Amino acid sequence: MALLKKFGFPLLALFLLAGCAAPSNTIDVTPQIRLPQQDPSLMGVTISINGADQRTDQALAKVNRDGQLVTLTPSRDLRFLLQEVLEKQMTARGYMVGPSGAVDLQIIVNKLYADVTQGNVRYSITTQADVSIIATAKNGNKQVKTYRQSNSIQGPFSATNAKITSAVNSALTDVMSDMADDTSIHEFIKQNAH
């Protein structure tokens, strides 16, 4: 009985307190990354990559829950996430990534937001993702490519964090796929990396 008092009551208190904890206000941004095909003609071309976040608001969504506006923010810095994705994709193509490349790439988050509306019985989430890549060659030539995706989901009851997270990751995954499929930046680098 003493053992039960020693461990049982603190454990019970811990479980009760855990039940009262507020849900997290962060969205785990983990898009699926698709890699492009390697280009065997690339011979030691080095590029540099950096990221920027030009969103005016760091929120990924704002949701009205029980009369309070809850702001959901990303679990990690989107600049570094997208920079990491672009590095993986360009390395898969056959480029080397270094501090001073023949072409500088900057990946910019212009927009990533889930517009959430909730009624008494239904919810709607419309997500927009807008990402640009600016390629600047040492010879002064420049190319800008923007990738945009939008999707909407609806369902019964309320928009949980899990549903909002899924919508955000889906839109970002679509953008990453577009980046992997698009060869315009790749062609620009090949033409200007002399």
Side-chain angles (χ1 to χ4, degrees):
M1 190 69 178
L3 195 62
L4 181 65
K5 283 184 181 174
K6 187 174 182 181
F7 293 110
F9 291 121
L11 268 175
L12 181 64
L14 193 64
F15 284 126
L16 288 174
L17 285 174
C20 298
S24 171
N25 289 339
T26 58
I27 289 181
D28 189 19
V29 182
T30 52
Q32 293 179 7
I33 302 167
R34 204 169 90 235
L35 299 177
Q37 294 292 314
Q38 184 172 2
D39 182 345
S41 72
L42 289 175
M43 293 297 217
V45 176
T46 301
I47 57 172
S48 70
I49 298 175
N50 69 60
D53 188 348
Q54 293 189 342
R55 298 174 305 139
T56 53
D57 189 346
Q58 296 308 302
L60 288 180
K62 293 182 180 175
V63 187
N64 189 340
R65 292 203 173 123
D66 301 322
Q68 290 196 329
L69 193 62
V70 176
T71 300
L72 303 177
T73 55
S75 57
R76 58 181 294 198
D77 192 324
L78 294 178
R79 285 176 309 171
F80 297 120
L81 171 70
L82 291 178
Q83 183 177 328
E84 192 179 289
V85 168
L86 187 57
E87 281 182 19
K88 286 179 181 175
Q89 289 184 341
M90 297 313 275
T91 303
R93 284 195 198 276
Y95 293 102
M96 292 186 292
V97 178
S100 57
V103 175
D104 299 324
L105 299 182
Q106 183 177 40
I107 185 162
I108 301 168
V109 187
N110 299 314
K111 186 175 201 173
L112 182 60
Y113 190 76
D115 188 20
V116 181
T117 54
Q118 297 186 112
N120 291 336
V121 293
R122 293 192 68 70
Y123 71 86
S124 170
I125 304 170
T126 302
T127 310
Q128 292 185 330
D130 187 313
V131 173
S132 294
I133 298 176
I134 301 173
T136 309
K138 297 289 182 234
N139 62 15
N141 289 343
K142 194 176 199 174
Q143 180 174 348
V144 180
K145 180 70 183 191
T146 301
Y147 306 91
R148 291 183 183 96
Q149 284 292 337
S150 178
N151 61 28
S152 289
I153 59 169
Q154 296 180 359
F157 308 117
S158 63
T160 62
N161 283 10
K163 292 172 186 168
I164 297 168
T165 299
S166 176
V168 167
N169 282 323
S170 176
L172 209 46
T173 295
D174 290 345
V175 165
M176 304 298 143
S177 292
D178 289 350
M179 286 167 46
D181 292 340
D182 182 45
T183 58
S184 61
I185 295 290
H186 174 56
E187 293 302 327
F188 174 84
I189 295 170
K190 283 172 63 174
Q191 290 166 11
N192 291 278
H194 310 300

